[in-house]
Structures are given as C-alpha cells and as structure tokens.
Amino acid sequence: VLATSTTALPDIFRGRRRDGFTSHLFENDDPSRLDNDLAGTSTISQILDHFDLSNTETWHQTYFFNHAYVKDESKVNILYNPGEGAGKLSSITSASKSYVYYAQQLNADLYALEHRFYGTSQPTEDTFVENLKFLSSRQAIEDIAEFIRQINKNKAGEQKWIVVGGSYAGALSAWVRLKHPELIAGALASSAPILAQLDFYGYLQMVDADFKTHGGLCYDHISAGIDAAQKLLQSEEGRETLTNLFKISPPLSAYDGLSSFDIDIFFSYLISPFEYSAQYNKPTV
C-alpha cells in the first residue's frame, strides 16, 4: 500500500502550497491598486547569535511592509512568517491572502520577515557547516522578537502583534507567541506541526485512505506499482529496469548495495505526486 514508505520530499515536507493562505473568496481583488509608497522592502540590523552576549556581530535581515490599511488608532500589526523560503513582497500585498483580508478588516499594518539563511537574509558569508549553527528555530524565534522591538520603537502607543505562518512557519508563530507574550498578542498557526514526530507514518496513512476512498481502480494500480518497484529493487536486473524507467542518474546498478536511505529517497520521489494530490486536493497532479 501507499504507507510502505514514510520519507517525503522536501517540497512536500514543507507542508503547504507554495502560495499558501489563499482563498477563492478574494480572487477578484486587485493587489495592483496599492500605492508604491505604501508597500516595499527594507532591512533591519539583526543580532547574529541571540544566546551569546559576547558575540556582537550583526547582519541585515530583509523584511517587507504594507501600510495600505493601517490607521493610527488601530495599533494592530500582522506579521507574516514565510518560513523556510525566500520572502516576497507579494505575500503581503496580494488580496487573495486571508491575512491581508484580516488586515483590511482590522486596519492593521502588514509585515513579512524573511527567515535567516533564506532569500537575501544571509547572516554569514557562506553556509559552511560551522556557520549553520546559527540556523535554528530558536534563533528565528528571537529574530522575530527583535524585529518587533525595533518596529515598535517607531510607533506610538502600545502595539498589538499577530504572527501568522503555515507548517513550520506556523509552528514558529506559535512558539514565538509562547516565548514572548509580552510582545505578541496572538498567533495564527496554520497546519502547524506543534507536536513534531520523527517517524510520522500517519501522514501516509491518510494519503492511502484518501486514494482508497476516492481513487477507485487508481488505488489498485498505485498499490500494484509500488509493490512491483519493491520487487524490482531486489535484483540487479530489476534495478536496471527502474533506472531506465525513471531515468535515474547515477544508475541504481552502480551501487554495490543500496542503503535504507537510498531506498527511502527513491520511494519518496515515486510517491510524492500522490502525496501532493491528496494534501492539496489536486486529483489531476
């Protein structure tokens, strides 16, 4: 069945659509009407290591702003967290985003803060292993808190912040709310894996159940195909067949012995279209 492998591709593991938080309710709104002076990109001077007071290094972290809906008396700010990907201004100017709609209703100021080590927000000159110690959710939580502190300095009165994110970014939004209730009034944690599980086989059980319920003969064909692939992996001739069929380079036959990790990666690629189809309700993928 589909639940024979639990490793997912990074794109699927991210757990949300590339343009997440969209809604068909707002498809007719036109984001191009925004005044260029009200929305744009800027940077703040961010702390490299929030947990080492002896380390005074800083770097420039990119953020995006949209002041189109804010009113002075509202004191409400919505901060979108893009998560593990490059930030985009369109993430807070597109009226198809639910949190942009919320900003309209609340007369809120809109921001998006790019995650460290993604896009143009690079804390170090390179990503050698020794520098990746600065890439962690703990550092990212404090980045958000420091960003809010700096923005608040330029605002009058007590500000209310709502942090928004999906998947990992959703979890990050919830964590920073828990860690800094003095700064953040609330968090919208969409599809957030708050309780992380290393071997999350339940995900593929749901994919399997989805196809079993709605897939008809497709379910049987998928199951038979995965079973056939498992059998082909057991022989050199079978691995050559798989190599030719899926255009694998280097060929599977080049390995003296396939590790369990190699096999997991192969099946993650094999089943990822079915995961995507079930997760995002796209039966034609």
Side-chain angles (χ1 to χ4, degrees), residues 212-239:
K212 193 170 187 177
T213 303
H214 303 287
L217 290 176
C218 184
Y219 174 84
D220 296 330
H221 293 321
I222 294 170
S223 298
I226 291 175
D227 287 341
Q230 288 179 314
K231 292 176 182 177
L232 288 169
L233 278 173
Q234 306 307 312
S235 67
E236 185 175 347
E237 182 180 355
R239 290 192 289 273

PDB file of all heavy atoms in Angstrom, residues 212-239:
ATOM      1  N   LYS A 212      -7.855   5.276  -1.312  1.00  0.00           N
ATOM      2  CA  LYS A 212      -8.681   4.078  -1.164  1.00  0.00           C
ATOM      3  C   LYS A 212     -10.157   4.438  -1.227  1.00  0.00           C
ATOM      4  O   LYS A 212     -10.984   3.703  -1.781  1.00  0.00           O
ATOM      5  CB  LYS A 212      -8.366   3.392   0.159  1.00  0.00           C
ATOM      6  CG  LYS A 212      -8.934   1.981   0.269  1.00  0.00           C
ATOM      7  CD  LYS A 212      -8.384   1.284   1.499  1.00  0.00           C
ATOM      8  CE  LYS A 212      -8.800  -0.176   1.530  1.00  0.00           C
ATOM      9  NZ  LYS A 212      -8.207  -0.899   2.688  1.00  0.00           N
ATOM     10  N   THR A 213     -10.518   5.615  -0.657  1.00  0.00           N
ATOM     11  CA  THR A 213     -11.909   6.058  -0.622  1.00  0.00           C
ATOM     12  C   THR A 213     -12.370   6.643  -1.952  1.00  0.00           C
ATOM     13  O   THR A 213     -13.488   6.388  -2.407  1.00  0.00           O
ATOM     14  CB  THR A 213     -12.105   7.116   0.480  1.00  0.00           C
ATOM     15  OG1 THR A 213     -11.702   6.565   1.737  1.00  0.00           O
ATOM     16  CG2 THR A 213     -13.557   7.561   0.563  1.00  0.00           C
ATOM     17  N   HIS A 214     -11.483   7.410  -2.594  1.00  0.00           N
ATOM     18  CA  HIS A 214     -11.898   8.167  -3.772  1.00  0.00           C
ATOM     19  C   HIS A 214     -11.204   7.752  -5.068  1.00  0.00           C
ATOM     20  O   HIS A 214     -11.583   8.225  -6.134  1.00  0.00           O
ATOM     21  CB  HIS A 214     -11.643   9.665  -3.542  1.00  0.00           C
ATOM     22  CG  HIS A 214     -12.319  10.203  -2.325  1.00  0.00           C
ATOM     23  ND1 HIS A 214     -13.675  10.416  -2.250  1.00  0.00           N
ATOM     24  CD2 HIS A 214     -11.811  10.573  -1.104  1.00  0.00           C
ATOM     25  CE1 HIS A 214     -13.991  10.892  -1.050  1.00  0.00           C
ATOM     26  NE2 HIS A 214     -12.881  10.999  -0.340  1.00  0.00           N
ATOM     27  N   GLY A 215     -10.201   6.896  -4.970  1.00  0.00           N
ATOM     28  CA  GLY A 215      -9.381   6.624  -6.140  1.00  0.00           C
ATOM     29  C   GLY A 215      -9.881   5.544  -7.072  1.00  0.00           C
ATOM     30  O   GLY A 215      -9.435   5.445  -8.213  1.00  0.00           O
ATOM     31  N   GLY A 216     -10.809   4.691  -6.594  1.00  0.00           N
ATOM     32  CA  GLY A 216     -11.304   3.615  -7.440  1.00  0.00           C
ATOM     33  C   GLY A 216     -10.188   2.683  -7.892  1.00  0.00           C
ATOM     34  O   GLY A 216      -9.337   2.266  -7.103  1.00  0.00           O
ATOM     35  N   LEU A 217     -10.165   2.367  -9.184  1.00  0.00           N
ATOM     36  CA  LEU A 217      -9.123   1.497  -9.723  1.00  0.00           C
ATOM     37  C   LEU A 217      -7.733   2.115  -9.614  1.00  0.00           C
ATOM     38  O   LEU A 217      -6.733   1.403  -9.591  1.00  0.00           O
ATOM     39  CB  LEU A 217      -9.423   1.165 -11.197  1.00  0.00           C
ATOM     40  CG  LEU A 217     -10.619   0.240 -11.453  1.00  0.00           C
ATOM     41  CD1 LEU A 217     -10.854   0.095 -12.950  1.00  0.00           C
ATOM     42  CD2 LEU A 217     -10.360  -1.136 -10.826  1.00  0.00           C
ATOM     43  N   CYS A 218      -7.678   3.424  -9.545  1.00  0.00           N
ATOM     44  CA  CYS A 218      -6.393   4.119  -9.419  1.00  0.00           C
ATOM     45  C   CYS A 218      -5.653   3.629  -8.177  1.00  0.00           C
ATOM     46  O   CYS A 218      -4.434   3.430  -8.204  1.00  0.00           O
ATOM     47  CB  CYS A 218      -6.632   5.621  -9.349  1.00  0.00           C
ATOM     48  SG  CYS A 218      -5.125   6.615  -9.301  1.00  0.00           S
ATOM     49  N   TYR A 219      -6.378   3.414  -7.090  1.00  0.00           N
ATOM     50  CA  TYR A 219      -5.761   2.940  -5.850  1.00  0.00           C
ATOM     51  C   TYR A 219      -5.092   1.586  -6.075  1.00  0.00           C
ATOM     52  O   TYR A 219      -3.958   1.361  -5.643  1.00  0.00           O
ATOM     53  CB  TYR A 219      -6.801   2.845  -4.744  1.00  0.00           C
ATOM     54  CG  TYR A 219      -6.282   2.233  -3.473  1.00  0.00           C
ATOM     55  CD1 TYR A 219      -5.608   3.007  -2.531  1.00  0.00           C
ATOM     56  CD2 TYR A 219      -6.468   0.876  -3.204  1.00  0.00           C
ATOM     57  CE1 TYR A 219      -5.122   2.455  -1.367  1.00  0.00           C
ATOM     58  CE2 TYR A 219      -5.983   0.306  -2.036  1.00  0.00           C
ATOM     59  CZ  TYR A 219      -5.312   1.095  -1.117  1.00  0.00           C
ATOM     60  OH  TYR A 219      -4.821   0.537   0.042  1.00  0.00           O
ATOM     61  N   ASP A 220      -5.783   0.699  -6.745  1.00  0.00           N
ATOM     62  CA  ASP A 220      -5.231  -0.635  -7.004  1.00  0.00           C
ATOM     63  C   ASP A 220      -3.990  -0.559  -7.883  1.00  0.00           C
ATOM     64  O   ASP A 220      -3.003  -1.274  -7.657  1.00  0.00           O
ATOM     65  CB  ASP A 220      -6.293  -1.519  -7.671  1.00  0.00           C
ATOM     66  CG  ASP A 220      -7.499  -1.766  -6.778  1.00  0.00           C
ATOM     67  OD1 ASP A 220      -7.318  -1.783  -5.536  1.00  0.00           O
ATOM     68  OD2 ASP A 220      -8.612  -1.924  -7.316  1.00  0.00           O
ATOM     69  N   HIS A 221      -4.021   0.313  -8.887  1.00  0.00           N
ATOM     70  CA  HIS A 221      -2.872   0.451  -9.784  1.00  0.00           C
ATOM     71  C   HIS A 221      -1.663   1.034  -9.053  1.00  0.00           C
ATOM     72  O   HIS A 221      -0.528   0.599  -9.265  1.00  0.00           O
ATOM     73  CB  HIS A 221      -3.233   1.336 -10.981  1.00  0.00           C
ATOM     74  CG  HIS A 221      -4.251   0.729 -11.903  1.00  0.00           C
ATOM     75  ND1 HIS A 221      -4.264  -0.618 -12.217  1.00  0.00           N
ATOM     76  CD2 HIS A 221      -5.294   1.295 -12.579  1.00  0.00           C
ATOM     77  CE1 HIS A 221      -5.261  -0.865 -13.048  1.00  0.00           C
ATOM     78  NE2 HIS A 221      -5.903   0.275 -13.284  1.00  0.00           N
ATOM     79  N   ILE A 222      -1.913   2.019  -8.199  1.00  0.00           N
ATOM     80  CA  ILE A 222      -0.817   2.613  -7.436  1.00  0.00           C
ATOM     81  C   ILE A 222      -0.187   1.577  -6.515  1.00  0.00           C
ATOM     82  O   ILE A 222       1.044   1.439  -6.451  1.00  0.00           O
ATOM     83  CB  ILE A 222      -1.317   3.820  -6.619  1.00  0.00           C
ATOM     84  CG1 ILE A 222      -1.759   4.952  -7.547  1.00  0.00           C
ATOM     85  CG2 ILE A 222      -0.219   4.323  -5.668  1.00  0.00           C
ATOM     86  CD1 ILE A 222      -2.482   6.075  -6.835  1.00  0.00           C
ATOM     87  N   SER A 223      -1.012   0.842  -5.800  1.00  0.00           N
ATOM     88  CA  SER A 223      -0.511  -0.179  -4.884  1.00  0.00           C
ATOM     89  C   SER A 223       0.286  -1.243  -5.624  1.00  0.00           C
ATOM     90  O   SER A 223       1.365  -1.658  -5.184  1.00  0.00           O
ATOM     91  CB  SER A 223      -1.679  -0.834  -4.128  1.00  0.00           C
ATOM     92  OG  SER A 223      -2.360   0.111  -3.335  1.00  0.00           O
ATOM     93  N   ALA A 224      -0.236  -1.672  -6.763  1.00  0.00           N
ATOM     94  CA  ALA A 224       0.461  -2.691  -7.554  1.00  0.00           C
ATOM     95  C   ALA A 224       1.790  -2.157  -8.069  1.00  0.00           C
ATOM     96  O   ALA A 224       2.798  -2.872  -8.096  1.00  0.00           O
ATOM     97  CB  ALA A 224      -0.428  -3.135  -8.721  1.00  0.00           C
ATOM     98  N   GLY A 225       1.804  -0.889  -8.481  1.00  0.00           N
ATOM     99  CA  GLY A 225       3.040  -0.292  -8.984  1.00  0.00           C
ATOM    100  C   GLY A 225       4.111  -0.193  -7.917  1.00  0.00           C
ATOM    101  O   GLY A 225       5.292  -0.470  -8.171  1.00  0.00           O
ATOM    102  N   ILE A 226       3.723   0.189  -6.705  1.00  0.00           N
ATOM    103  CA  ILE A 226       4.696   0.300  -5.615  1.00  0.00           C
ATOM    104  C   ILE A 226       5.207  -1.087  -5.217  1.00  0.00           C
ATOM    105  O   ILE A 226       6.403  -1.277  -4.967  1.00  0.00           O
ATOM    106  CB  ILE A 226       4.067   1.023  -4.410  1.00  0.00           C
ATOM    107  CG1 ILE A 226       3.824   2.489  -4.774  1.00  0.00           C
ATOM    108  CG2 ILE A 226       4.967   0.930  -3.175  1.00  0.00           C
ATOM    109  CD1 ILE A 226       3.095   3.287  -3.711  1.00  0.00           C
ATOM    110  N   ASP A 227       4.320  -2.064  -5.194  1.00  0.00           N
ATOM    111  CA  ASP A 227       4.744  -3.442  -4.891  1.00  0.00           C
ATOM    112  C   ASP A 227       5.737  -3.939  -5.943  1.00  0.00           C
ATOM    113  O   ASP A 227       6.742  -4.579  -5.615  1.00  0.00           O
ATOM    114  CB  ASP A 227       3.531  -4.366  -4.852  1.00  0.00           C
ATOM    115  CG  ASP A 227       2.677  -4.146  -3.609  1.00  0.00           C
ATOM    116  OD1 ASP A 227       3.198  -3.559  -2.644  1.00  0.00           O
ATOM    117  OD2 ASP A 227       1.501  -4.553  -3.622  1.00  0.00           O
ATOM    118  N   ALA A 228       5.457  -3.619  -7.217  1.00  0.00           N
ATOM    119  CA  ALA A 228       6.355  -4.052  -8.297  1.00  0.00           C
ATOM    120  C   ALA A 228       7.722  -3.390  -8.159  1.00  0.00           C
ATOM    121  O   ALA A 228       8.761  -4.034  -8.359  1.00  0.00           O
ATOM    122  CB  ALA A 228       5.729  -3.714  -9.650  1.00  0.00           C
ATOM    123  N   ALA A 229       7.733  -2.112  -7.804  1.00  0.00           N
ATOM    124  CA  ALA A 229       9.001  -1.407  -7.629  1.00  0.00           C
ATOM    125  C   ALA A 229       9.813  -2.009  -6.493  1.00  0.00           C
ATOM    126  O   ALA A 229      11.044  -2.145  -6.590  1.00  0.00           O
ATOM    127  CB  ALA A 229       8.739   0.079  -7.363  1.00  0.00           C
ATOM    128  N   GLN A 230       9.153  -2.400  -5.411  1.00  0.00           N
ATOM    129  CA  GLN A 230       9.842  -3.032  -4.292  1.00  0.00           C
ATOM    130  C   GLN A 230      10.505  -4.344  -4.725  1.00  0.00           C
ATOM    131  O   GLN A 230      11.642  -4.635  -4.336  1.00  0.00           O
ATOM    132  CB  GLN A 230       8.868  -3.297  -3.146  1.00  0.00           C
ATOM    133  CG  GLN A 230       8.439  -2.046  -2.415  1.00  0.00           C
ATOM    134  CD  GLN A 230       7.455  -2.337  -1.297  1.00  0.00           C
ATOM    135  OE1 GLN A 230       6.504  -3.089  -1.493  1.00  0.00           O
ATOM    136  NE2 GLN A 230       7.695  -1.753  -0.142  1.00  0.00           N
ATOM    137  N   LYS A 231       9.817  -5.097  -5.533  1.00  0.00           N
ATOM    138  CA  LYS A 231      10.375  -6.378  -6.003  1.00  0.00           C
ATOM    139  C   LYS A 231      11.525  -6.147  -6.969  1.00  0.00           C
ATOM    140  O   LYS A 231      12.536  -6.861  -6.929  1.00  0.00           O
ATOM    141  CB  LYS A 231       9.269  -7.197  -6.670  1.00  0.00           C
ATOM    142  CG  LYS A 231       8.194  -7.678  -5.694  1.00  0.00           C
ATOM    143  CD  LYS A 231       7.062  -8.403  -6.416  1.00  0.00           C
ATOM    144  CE  LYS A 231       5.978  -8.826  -5.428  1.00  0.00           C
ATOM    145  NZ  LYS A 231       4.827  -9.479  -6.107  1.00  0.00           N
ATOM    146  N   LEU A 232      11.403  -5.149  -7.834  1.00  0.00           N
ATOM    147  CA  LEU A 232      12.467  -4.869  -8.797  1.00  0.00           C
ATOM    148  C   LEU A 232      13.753  -4.420  -8.112  1.00  0.00           C
ATOM    149  O   LEU A 232      14.857  -4.681  -8.606  1.00  0.00           O
ATOM    150  CB  LEU A 232      12.008  -3.796  -9.789  1.00  0.00           C
ATOM    151  CG  LEU A 232      10.966  -4.240 -10.826  1.00  0.00           C
ATOM    152  CD1 LEU A 232      10.400  -3.042 -11.569  1.00  0.00           C
ATOM    153  CD2 LEU A 232      11.574  -5.241 -11.807  1.00  0.00           C
ATOM    154  N   LEU A 233      13.639  -3.778  -6.978  1.00  0.00           N
ATOM    155  CA  LEU A 233      14.823  -3.324  -6.252  1.00  0.00           C
ATOM    156  C   LEU A 233      15.662  -4.486  -5.719  1.00  0.00           C
ATOM    157  O   LEU A 233      16.842  -4.289  -5.392  1.00  0.00           O
ATOM    158  CB  LEU A 233      14.417  -2.422  -5.079  1.00  0.00           C
ATOM    159  CG  LEU A 233      14.129  -0.955  -5.388  1.00  0.00           C
ATOM    160  CD1 LEU A 233      13.569  -0.261  -4.155  1.00  0.00           C
ATOM    161  CD2 LEU A 233      15.396  -0.242  -5.855  1.00  0.00           C
ATOM    162  N   GLN A 234      15.097  -5.653  -5.657  1.00  0.00           N
ATOM    163  CA  GLN A 234      15.786  -6.795  -5.043  1.00  0.00           C
ATOM    164  C   GLN A 234      16.822  -7.440  -5.959  1.00  0.00           C
ATOM    165  O   GLN A 234      17.648  -8.238  -5.495  1.00  0.00           O
ATOM    166  CB  GLN A 234      14.755  -7.858  -4.623  1.00  0.00           C
ATOM    167  CG  GLN A 234      13.653  -7.347  -3.735  1.00  0.00           C
ATOM    168  CD  GLN A 234      14.167  -6.612  -2.517  1.00  0.00           C
ATOM    169  OE1 GLN A 234      15.066  -7.091  -1.818  1.00  0.00           O
ATOM    170  NE2 GLN A 234      13.609  -5.429  -2.264  1.00  0.00           N
ATOM    171  N   SER A 235      16.805  -7.118  -7.245  1.00  0.00           N
ATOM    172  CA  SER A 235      17.741  -7.747  -8.184  1.00  0.00           C
ATOM    173  C   SER A 235      18.445  -6.695  -9.028  1.00  0.00           C
ATOM    174  O   SER A 235      17.928  -5.579  -9.216  1.00  0.00           O
ATOM    175  CB  SER A 235      17.012  -8.724  -9.108  1.00  0.00           C
ATOM    176  OG  SER A 235      16.129  -8.027  -9.984  1.00  0.00           O
ATOM    177  N   GLU A 236      19.638  -7.047  -9.527  1.00  0.00           N
ATOM    178  CA  GLU A 236      20.394  -6.120 -10.366  1.00  0.00           C
ATOM    179  C   GLU A 236      19.629  -5.809 -11.648  1.00  0.00           C
ATOM    180  O   GLU A 236      19.598  -4.663 -12.108  1.00  0.00           O
ATOM    181  CB  GLU A 236      21.761  -6.708 -10.701  1.00  0.00           C
ATOM    182  CG  GLU A 236      22.652  -5.749 -11.478  1.00  0.00           C
ATOM    183  CD  GLU A 236      24.057  -6.303 -11.693  1.00  0.00           C
ATOM    184  OE1 GLU A 236      24.408  -7.300 -11.040  1.00  0.00           O
ATOM    185  OE2 GLU A 236      24.779  -5.726 -12.522  1.00  0.00           O
ATOM    186  N   GLU A 237      19.013  -6.842 -12.226  1.00  0.00           N
ATOM    187  CA  GLU A 237      18.238  -6.636 -13.444  1.00  0.00           C
ATOM    188  C   GLU A 237      17.040  -5.725 -13.184  1.00  0.00           C
ATOM    189  O   GLU A 237      16.710  -4.853 -13.993  1.00  0.00           O
ATOM    190  CB  GLU A 237      17.750  -7.986 -13.984  1.00  0.00           C
ATOM    191  CG  GLU A 237      16.963  -7.874 -15.286  1.00  0.00           C
ATOM    192  CD  GLU A 237      16.497  -9.227 -15.786  1.00  0.00           C
ATOM    193  OE1 GLU A 237      16.864 -10.258 -15.174  1.00  0.00           O
ATOM    194  OE2 GLU A 237      15.769  -9.253 -16.791  1.00  0.00           O
ATOM    195  N   GLY A 238      16.402  -5.915 -12.024  1.00  0.00           N
ATOM    196  CA  GLY A 238      15.260  -5.088 -11.668  1.00  0.00           C
ATOM    197  C   GLY A 238      15.664  -3.636 -11.441  1.00  0.00           C
ATOM    198  O   GLY A 238      14.953  -2.707 -11.852  1.00  0.00           O
ATOM    199  N   ARG A 239      16.827  -3.438 -10.816  1.00  0.00           N
ATOM    200  CA  ARG A 239      17.297  -2.069 -10.581  1.00  0.00           C
ATOM    201  C   ARG A 239      17.631  -1.377 -11.892  1.00  0.00           C
ATOM    202  O   ARG A 239      17.436  -0.168 -12.042  1.00  0.00           O
ATOM    203  CB  ARG A 239      18.509  -2.093  -9.646  1.00  0.00           C
ATOM    204  CG  ARG A 239      18.160  -2.485  -8.213  1.00  0.00           C
ATOM    205  CD  ARG A 239      19.309  -2.214  -7.265  1.00  0.00           C
ATOM    206  NE  ARG A 239      20.419  -3.128  -7.468  1.00  0.00           N
ATOM    207  CZ  ARG A 239      20.534  -4.323  -6.897  1.00  0.00           C
ATOM    208  NH1 ARG A 239      19.575  -4.749  -6.083  1.00  0.00           N
ATOM    209  NH2 ARG A 239      21.583  -5.091  -7.116  1.00  0.00           N
TER     210      ARG A 239
END
